[in-house]
Amino acid sequence: MNVYHPKVTAWFWLLGMLFIGFLGSQSLGKDWLETGFLALLPVTEQKPEIARAVRQHNEQLNRKVIWLTGAATSQDAIAHARQLKQQLQQSGLFGKLMLELPQQMMVKQYQQLFPYRYQLLDVQTRFTLDNNPKDLLAQNLETLYSPIGQMTAADLEHDPLLLFSRYFNAQNPLKLTVEQGIVILHDADRFWALLLTDLEDQHLQLDKLEVLLALVNSSTTQTQAAGGDLMVTGMPLFTAQGSDSARQEISTVGLGSSAGIVVLLLLTFRSLRPLLLSFLAIGSGLFAALVVSVLFFGKIHIITLVFGASLIGVADDYAIHFVCDSFGAKNWLPRQGLRYIFPGLVIGLLTNLLSYAGLVFSPFPGLQEVALFSAVGLLAAWLTVVLLFPLLLTGFKPDHQPLILVCANYWQQHWPVWLLKKRRWLIPVLLVFIAGGLWQLSPRDDVRLLQSAPAELLKTADKIKQLLPVSQENQFFLVSGHDINDWHQHEQQLLKRLNLLTQEHKLMAYQGLSDYWPDEDNQETNYRLLDKTLYQSGLLKQYMNELGFSEQAINTELKQFSEAKNRSISLPEWLATADETKQQLWLGCDVDRCLSRVVLTGITDLPALAALQSLQGVTWVDQVEQLSSLFARYRVSVSLLLIAAYLLVFTGLGLKFGWYDALKITAIPVVAALVSLAMMGWFDQLFSLFNLFALLLVLGIGVDDAIFFFMADSSAALSNETDHDRRASTSLAVTLSALTTLLAFGLLAVSSTEIVHAFGFTVATGILTALVLSPLVGNRTPDSREIKSSKRR
Amino acid sequence: MIFLKVLLLFLLSFNQSYAADVLAEISARLVKTPITQGSFQQEKRLKVLRKPLISTGTFTYHQSKGVIWKTLTPIPSLLLVNESHLLTGQGEQAVPAAFGKVFKAMLGGDLKQLTEGFLITGENKKPSWQLQLKPKDEFLQKIISTILLTGDTELRALEIQEVTGNLTRISFTQVTHPVNILPEQEADFERLSP
C-alpha cells in the first residue's frame, strides 16, 4: 500500500482524462446521436425493403403539419389563412406551403391523361359496366339533369359518356369544397380554411421543433387577435409537445432534486467538497462513457444515453461511501479511509459491472450500447473516486456529528433487532405481499405509452380528423411482385379486400396505385369492355341521340374511340402526371422485384387488417406493433440476463465469503427488486423494459449497500477500531446514497409522463426496500446475542 | 383623362350604393319565412346538344337545414344540399364553390348575403324586380358569367349564363311557406348531417 501516492495516482487520472478528452475531440465533432428506432433492431430483422418503405412513410408523416384557420364566414377564414401563410413563409421552417390548390397542375394532369380515357376506368365505373352498363347511362342523365351538373359535365362535348370526369373525380375520394381555390371545411358554426405544410427538414430536430411550437403559439394569438381561430395538428407537433412536456417535467423535477441533494450533502458535511467530488466522479464517468461508446459504435442511440446515464448514477455510491468513511475514524486520513473501503469498492464495482455487462450478450444493439456505456461510465467514475479522491480529500475531516449520522446510527442498531424479533410474522407477510404483487404484475410494452400528448392537442387532432379525414395511419401495407403485372395483381387483390373492409366500417379509406393505374392488360380489358357494352351494342349511339347530340358528334365520338384502340399508358408515364402523395406510394422496381405502399386512413379494426398479410405478396407493416414487440423482447432478454448476472454475482461472492454470507448479501438487492416488482403489481403500475433499467439501478445500489455493511464488519474485525463506528459511517453512507438516489430518480415518480413515472416509482420502492433491509447484513453481534438470549429463555 | 377617371369612380360608387338601396328595397318586398317550398321547371341549354334538357320537380328550402331538390321528370332523382354537404344518387359530392350559400341566399330571400360574392346591379320595378349578379371570385368567373334573378314577393326565375355559352333557366311556381316540414322531408335532411 505504500506505493499508493495520492499525487501519483491523481496524475494518472489526469492523464487518462486528457487522453479521453483528446479522443472526444476527435469523435464528438461528428453527428453521433441516433434517434431512429430501426437502429434498435437486431441486424437480421432489418429487411432492407421494409426499412426503406418505413423510412419513406415516416419521412412523409414526420413532415406534415396541418393548419386550419376558422371564422364565422369563409371569406374571413380565407383572409386569416392568407395572413398565416405569410407568417409561416417568413419562418423558413417549411419546404412546402399549400393554400391554393395547384389548379395549373390539375389542368395539366387532365390534359395528359385525357387521351387514355377509354383505358383508365375507375373501379366503380368498371363495376357498373361489368354488371349493368345501362346504369352508367342512367347515372349520366341524372347528373346532366341536376342543377349542379355543369361541373361534372363540363367536357360533355369531348367526353359524352363522362368517363374521364368519373376517373378524374375518383382520384380524389374526398369531396372538398373549394372557394377561391382554397379548401373550405365547415362545422356547426364555423368555416375553416385549410393550409397544408411540409417541414423543410424531416429529421424533427429538437431545436426546430421548439421553433415550431413557438410559431404555433404566436400564430394562434395573432389569429385570435384578428377575431379568428386556429387549429393545428401533425406528427411534428406531437413529438414537439411530447418531448417538450417530458423535458419540462424532468427539468422541474431535476431542479428540485438537485436542490435537495445539495442541501442534504451540505447539511451532512458542512462542506462543498463532497458535493463537488460527487459531481466530478459522475461527470467524468458520463464523459468517458460517451466518448468510448461513440468511438466503439460510431453513433449511439438516444435511449442509450438516457438509460446509460441513469445507470451511471450508481457511481454516486462510491463517492458517498468514501466521503462518509471520514465519520468512521477519529483521525481520518483519505488514504487510510480508502484502504478500509477499498475491498468494498472493488466488490461493488465488480458486481455492478457484471450485471451491466450481461446486457452485452443480448442480440439487440440498443442493449449492447447501454451495457458498454454504463460499464465504461461506472469504471471511469470508480477510477475517479479511487485515483483522485485521496488527493482531493486531503485535509477533509468533519469535526461535527451531523444529525443524520446520529439518526442513521441509532436506526441501524435498533431496526435490525426489531426486524429479527418480528421475523416470525414479518417473513410470511413479506412473502405473501411479494407473491400477491407478482401475481398481479402484467407487462405492458405498448410503445404509445412513451408518448403522452396533452389532452388539448389530442382533441384538436380528433376534431381535424373529423373535418378532414386525410391523415394517414402509422400502419401500411407493402405490396411486392416479381414484375409490374405480378405486383399489380397482388395489389388489386389486397385493394378488393380493403374495399370490403371499408364497407364493413373497419377502415375509412385506403389508397393504392393500382386503383388509379390499371396495368397494360387491364387497360386493354377496359377498352374491350367499353367496346362490347356500349359501343358495339349501339347503346352509346342511342344515348347520344336521345340527349340531342348531332349526327356529326356521334360519328366523331365513334371515330375517337376506334383511334384509341391500341393506346396504353405505362406506370412511369402515369406517375409523371400524378401528385407527390401518389408518386410516393411507388417504391420502384429492381431486377427481380417491384414494390409499392398502400396507405390507410381511419382504422377501426387493426386485427382485421393485419390478417390480410396472408395474401400473396402483401406485408403488413405496423411500426407501433413492431416497436412494442421489440420492447417486449428487450424486456424478456434483459430479465433473463439480469437473473444470469445475479447468479454469477452470487457464485463469486460465495466463493469469496462463503455461501451463507453470499446469500445474505445478494438477498438485499433481490428482495428489493422483488418488492419493487410487487409494488408495481399491487398499484397497477406500468411494467415494461424501462422498469427493468430502473431495477438494474436498484440492484446495483442494493448490492453496494449490502456489501458495505458486510465489509464494515469484516474490516472492523481486521482493524483495531470498534465495530460500532464503521457500521455507523456505513449506515450514514447507505442512507445518504439512498436519499440522493431517491431525490435524483425517485422523484420522477411524480411525473405525469407514464414512462418517466414508472421509472421513478420502481427506483423509489426498490431503493427504500434496500435501505430498510441492508442493516440486516453483517448484523452479527446483536443478531447472535438476540438469538442466544432467546434460546436461553 | 384624370377627370374621366374621377367621374368613372364616382359613377361606380354611386352605382353601388344605388344597388345596395335597390337590394334593400327588393329584400323588403320578399316574403321571409324559415321554410319555402314549391315546384320548379328547369331548362338547360347545352351548346353541344340540339335540344334543351327539361326537367320538373319540387323543392323544399329550410333555413337551417338546407335544400331538397327533387326531380320528378324525366328521370326521378334527389339532390340534398346544405352549406357543407351535397348528396346525390351517386353519393357525396363536392359542393361547388359558393353553391350552398347562393342557393340559401336566393331561396331564403337573404339577398344581402349575395353582395359578399357578387357584384350586383338591378332594378326594382312593379310588379317584378330583376337583379344581375356577376361573381367576384376569379375561380367562379371562369365558369359563370352572369346570374339573372327575377321575382316579386317571391323569387320567380333564376337564369345562369355560363362562360361556355351554356344556359340554365329555372322557374319557380306554386311557392308556399308552410310552418313545418313533412316527416319524409325531415328524414331527407337527416341524411345530410352525418
Side-chain angles (χ1 to χ4, degrees):
Chain A
M1 279 292 171
N2 281 346
V3 213
Y4 198 94
H5 284 292
K7 276 187 186 154
V8 177
T9 55
W11 272 110
F12 275 131
W13 180 87
L14 195 62
L15 279 176
M17 283 316 282
L18 280 175
F19 180 61
I20 288 173
F22 169 73
L23 290 179
S25 71
Q26 304 284 307
S27 60
L28 294 186
K30 302 171 304 201
D31 181 20
W32 51 267
L33 193 65
E34 177 78 60
T35 46
F37 95 90
L38 280 174
L40 291 171
L41 281 170
V43 186
T44 48
E45 287 192 25
Q46 301 182 20
K47 279 195 199 155
E49 75 271 14
I50 295 186
R52 195 157 57 97
V54 165
R55 202 168 50 237
Q56 197 149 357
H57 191 82
N58 286 351
E59 269 172 24
Q60 235 176 318
L61 280 187
N62 283 349
R63 284 180 168 198
K64 291 240 175 302
V65 183
I66 298 174
W67 311 71
L68 290 176
T69 54
T73 70
S74 53
Q75 301 285 328
D76 287 349
I78 289 173
H80 292 316
R82 290 195 201 280
Q83 183 75 35
L84 175 69
K85 187 186 174 188
Q86 222 164 39
Q87 203 183 348
L88 298 186
Q89 236 152 12
Q90 279 161 8
S91 76
L93 212 56
F94 304 95
K96 218 175 80 185
L97 286 137
M98 196 193 80
L99 182 61
E100 282 97 355
L101 292 174
Q103 303 262 339
Q104 293 297 329
M105 210 194 106
M106 286 170 85
V107 169
K108 216 174 124 201
Q109 192 194 12
Y110 192 96
Q111 287 165 349
Q112 281 171 333
L113 294 179
F114 191 73
Y116 303 99
R117 61 190 175 283
Y118 304 116
Q119 277 81 19
L120 299 173
L121 297 182
D122 64 290
V123 180
Q124 192 55 47
T125 302
R126 197 174 155 159
F127 181 80
T128 314
L129 284 176
D130 262 332
N131 291 290
N132 192 357
K134 280 187 182 163
D135 274 1
L136 192 87
L137 304 177
Q139 285 169 12
N140 281 357
L141 290 181
E142 191 190 324
T143 306
L144 288 171
Y145 277 109
S146 91
I148 54 144
Q150 272 81 358
M151 297 295 286
T152 29
D155 216 7
L156 191 68
E157 191 179 349
H158 302 109
D159 185 18
L161 283 172
L162 306 180
L163 289 175
F164 193 66
S165 76
R166 285 161 187 275
Y167 171 76
F168 205 68
N169 287 336
Q171 288 214 38
N172 302 298
L174 269 182
K175 305 298 174 215
L176 297 171
T177 306
V178 178
E179 235 173 279
Q180 299 178 32
I182 296 169
V183 173
I184 299 291
L185 305 163
H186 188 247
D187 64 11
D189 57 343
R190 259 174 151 47
F191 290 91
W192 300 92
L194 173 70
L195 174 61
L196 293 174
T197 58
D198 278 6
L199 284 184
E200 179 91 70
D201 190 354
Q202 86 244 12
H203 288 303
L204 298 182
Q205 276 159 350
L206 283 180
D207 52 334
K208 288 269 174 63
L209 290 180
E210 268 170 45
V211 177
L212 177 65
L213 274 189
L215 194 61
V216 170
N217 288 336
S218 70
S219 35
T220 307
T221 30
Q222 274 193 24
T223 315
Q224 277 167 354
D229 276 329
L230 181 64
M231 295 200 291
V232 196
T233 191
M235 192 65 100
L237 220 59
F238 276 89
T239 316
Q241 285 280 11
S243 61
D244 193 58
S245 71
R247 200 175 43 223
Q248 248 173 28
E249 260 180 0
I250 289 176
S251 66
T252 321
V253 171
L255 205 69
S257 72
S258 317
I261 291 172
V262 168
V263 168
L264 179 68
L265 292 185
L266 275 182
L267 277 181
T268 311
F269 296 104
R270 296 185 192 169
S271 157
L272 261 178
R273 231 192 296 188
L275 186 71
L276 294 177
L277 287 179
S278 282
F279 283 160
L280 183 65
I282 291 178
S284 357
L286 276 177
F287 181 62
L290 186 62
V291 170
V292 173
S293 306
V294 172
L295 267 183
F296 193 82
F297 293 108
K299 264 186 165 190
I300 63 166
H301 202 275
I302 191 153
I303 288 196
T304 310
L305 204 62
V306 173
F307 289 104
S310 321
L311 291 179
I312 292 177
V314 177
D316 186 39
D317 262 17
Y318 307 139
I320 286 178
H321 276 286
F322 197 165
V323 179
C324 282
D325 196 65
S326 63
F327 289 110
K330 292 218 173 55
N331 301 306
W332 189 75
L333 286 170
R335 278 172 67 186
Q336 272 181 354
L338 183 62
R339 208 169 74 204
Y340 286 124
I341 66 161
F342 193 71
L345 284 180
V346 171
I347 294 170
L349 176 71
L350 287 180
T351 51
N352 285 329
L353 281 183
L354 210 58
S355 60
Y356 293 177
L359 299 178
V360 170
F361 298 106
S362 79
F364 300 108
L367 293 185
Q368 290 164 1
E369 278 180 23
V370 172
L372 183 79
F373 187 93
S374 46
V376 170
L378 208 58
L379 187 66
W382 187 86
L383 284 173
T384 306
V385 171
V386 172
L387 296 178
L388 192 63
F389 277 27
L391 179 72
L392 294 185
L393 278 172
T394 311
F396 179 77
K397 176 71 195 105
D399 50 3
H400 61 281
Q401 275 265 354
L403 186 64
I404 188 166
L405 174 65
V406 181
C407 294
N409 193 29
Y410 180 83
W411 165 76
Q412 71 88 11
Q413 281 177 336
H414 298 273
W415 172 243
V417 178
W418 184 85
L419 278 184
L420 287 170
K421 226 187 329 196
K422 307 278 185 203
R423 67 182 160 189
R424 281 213 177 77
W425 62 269
L426 273 179
I427 288 174
V429 165
L430 184 68
L431 286 179
V432 168
F433 175 79
I434 288 177
L438 292 182
W439 178 255
Q440 296 168 62
L441 192 64
S442 63
R444 278 184 288 160
D445 299 302
D446 194 335
V447 70
R448 272 163 292 200
L449 295 169
L450 275 174
Q451 240 183 12
S452 55
E456 205 185 331
L457 193 63
L458 283 173
K459 224 174 83 187
T460 312
D462 264 2
K463 182 137 190 242
I464 293 181
K465 223 175 185 172
Q466 274 171 8
L467 282 173
L468 184 78
V470 290
S471 32
Q472 285 178 14
E473 302 275 355
N474 264 314
Q475 295 83 357
F476 62 92
F477 286 102
L478 195 64
V479 184
S480 69
H482 58 75
D483 57 22
I484 287 217
N485 290 338
D486 194 38
W487 157 78
H488 195 274
Q489 223 170 354
H490 291 164
E491 199 185 277
Q492 274 295 299
Q493 267 159 14
L494 173 67
L495 296 187
K496 269 184 201 133
R497 299 287 293 272
L498 288 178
N499 190 28
L500 288 180
L501 289 184
T502 50
Q503 283 164 21
E504 292 165 25
H505 300 290
K506 289 173 174 170
L507 176 70
M508 201 189 285
Y510 57 91
Q511 214 176 27
L513 278 184
S514 62
D515 263 0
Y516 307 126
W517 178 79
D519 65 356
E520 268 122 79
D521 289 352
N522 276 300
Q523 288 178 29
E524 210 190 312
T525 317
N526 285 344
Y527 183 88
R528 271 191 277 131
L529 182 64
L530 276 171
D531 198 21
K532 193 184 81 186
T533 53
L534 298 177
Y535 287 78
Q536 302 271 12
S537 67
L539 274 178
L540 173 90
K541 231 174 169 174
Q542 193 190 339
Y543 156 85
M544 284 181 80
N545 246 327
E546 278 170 12
L547 268 177
F549 278 96
S550 67
E551 201 62 36
Q552 195 195 347
I554 298 174
N555 287 335
T556 312
E557 172 58 23
L558 289 172
K559 195 173 145 231
Q560 281 188 352
F561 182 73
S562 70
E563 276 172 5
K565 184 164 190 199
N566 291 317
R567 260 178 225 158
S568 72
I569 181 167
S570 71
L571 182 60
E573 284 172 305
W574 185 89
L575 280 173
T577 69
D579 61 69
E580 207 186 341
T581 332
K582 293 205 180 76
Q583 284 171 354
Q584 282 165 344
L585 293 176
W586 182 241
L587 298 174
C589 288
D590 54 19
V591 189
D592 57 348
R593 202 203 321 244
C594 292
L595 276 176
S596 75
R597 284 185 304 137
V598 172
V599 295
L600 310 163
T601 301
I603 299 175
T604 44
D605 189 346
L606 259 182
L609 284 159
L612 294 183
Q613 64 186 322
S614 60
L615 293 172
Q616 206 185 352
V618 172
T619 315
W620 168 245
V621 184
D622 183 349
Q623 301 173 72
V624 173
E625 219 308 290
Q626 214 181 354
L627 198 50
S628 301
S629 93
L630 174 75
F631 280 158
R633 281 177 291 154
Y634 265 41
R635 177 175 51 73
V636 171
S637 176
V638 171
S639 311
L640 293 177
L641 287 167
L642 213 62
I643 293 169
Y646 268 78
L647 284 175
L648 253 174
V649 167
F650 172 68
T651 318
L653 290 174
L655 290 175
K656 175 126 176 82
F657 302 116
W659 299 111
Y660 179 70
D661 285 332
L663 193 64
K664 259 191 161 177
I665 294 171
T666 31
I668 302 297
V670 169
V671 172
L674 287 177
V675 168
S676 183
L677 282 171
M679 287 286 279
M680 281 179 236
W682 282 111
F683 287 93
D684 193 26
Q685 295 288 309
L686 176 73
F687 173 52
S688 70
L689 171 69
F690 304 98
N691 306 72
L692 287 180
F693 284 113
L695 278 188
L696 263 176
L697 191 69
V698 168
L699 288 167
I701 290 176
V703 86
D704 277 355
D705 290 352
I707 283 173
F708 280 104
F709 265 114
F710 180 77
M711 296 308 280
D713 284 351
S714 30
S715 69
L718 288 174
S719 74
N720 299 325
E721 286 178 61
T722 53
D723 168 20
H724 188 88
D725 269 355
R726 197 56 80 186
R727 273 191 72 85
S729 70
T730 303
S731 60
L732 174 65
V734 167
T735 314
L736 278 183
S737 137
L739 287 177
T740 49
T741 313
L742 279 178
L743 285 170
F745 301 109
L747 269 187
L748 294 179
V750 302
S751 165
S752 63
T753 309
E754 193 154 13
I755 213 94
V756 178
H757 164 82
F759 191 86
F761 183 85
T762 315
V763 171
T765 49
I767 294 293
L768 279 174
T769 315
L771 175 67
V772 165
L773 294 180
S774 55
L776 285 171
V777 175
N779 194 291
R780 226 165 271 156
T781 342
D783 179 20
S784 35
R785 252 185 245 136
E786 194 68 25
I787 292 165
K788 270 177 217 155
S789 59
S790 62
K791 267 183 189 163
R792 251 180 239 142
R793 252 177 245 154
Chain B
M1 279 308 276
I2 294 176
F3 174 71
L4 258 179
K5 273 189 187 167
V6 172
L7 185 69
L8 208 64
L9 272 175
F10 176 71
L11 281 176
L12 275 177
S13 63
F14 174 76
N15 198 20
Q16 240 171 4
S17 69
Y18 166 73
D21 283 346
V22 172
L23 212 58
E25 282 171 33
I26 295 172
S27 253
R29 281 177 71 181
L30 288 169
V31 178
K32 281 189 272 305
T33 55
I35 300 170
T36 307
Q37 63 182 35
S39 304
F40 70 82
Q41 189 196 34
Q42 179 188 274
E43 185 180 324
K44 268 198 193 183
R45 291 184 176 275
L46 304 186
K47 249 177 53 192
V48 290
L49 304 182
R50 285 172 309 177
K51 56 181 189 188
L53 301 170
I54 297 172
S55 59
T56 58
T58 60
F59 73 94
T60 308
Y61 164 83
H62 189 287
Q63 194 177 31
S64 58
K65 293 183 174 177
V67 177
I68 303 173
W69 193 265
K70 201 170 192 171
T71 306
L72 299 171
T73 64
I75 294 167
S77 72
L78 185 68
L79 181 138
L80 305 168
V81 62
N82 63 20
E83 283 184 0
S84 52
H85 294 280
L86 197 162
L87 220 61
T88 69
Q90 291 163 60
E92 172 108 35
Q93 310 282 326
V95 187
F99 182 83
K101 217 185 290 176
V102 170
F103 234 113
K104 192 170 166 177
M106 289 173 187
L107 294 175
D110 185 6
L111 296 177
K112 212 163 170 210
Q113 221 191 67
L114 291 174
T115 55
E116 226 179 73
F118 297 91
L119 287 169
I120 300 176
T121 50
E123 343 172 62
N124 180 19
K125 282 195 199 155
K126 298 274 155 110
S128 65
W129 49 263
Q130 191 168 54
L131 285 176
Q132 198 179 34
L133 278 62
K134 283 185 182 295
K136 289 179 184 170
D137 185 327
E138 59 175 297
F139 292 90
L140 215 55
Q141 278 171 6
K142 286 181 191 161
I143 304 162
I144 293 174
S145 57
T146 32
I147 299 177
L148 216 64
L149 304 178
T150 41
D152 38 53
T153 55
E154 306 287 352
L155 175 69
R156 293 298 176 192
L158 160 67
E159 197 174 291
I160 303 170
Q161 182 86 49
E162 285 174 56
V163 179
T164 55
N166 293 341
L167 184 92
T168 304
R169 194 186 151 79
I170 308 172
S171 45
F172 301 100
T173 48
Q174 297 165 307
V175 179
T176 56
H177 298 273
V179 183
N180 291 309
I181 51 174
L182 302 169
E184 59 167 286
Q185 293 168 329
E186 188 85 56
D188 280 338
F189 280 128
E190 207 56 41
R191 287 171 52 200
L192 258 186
S193 44

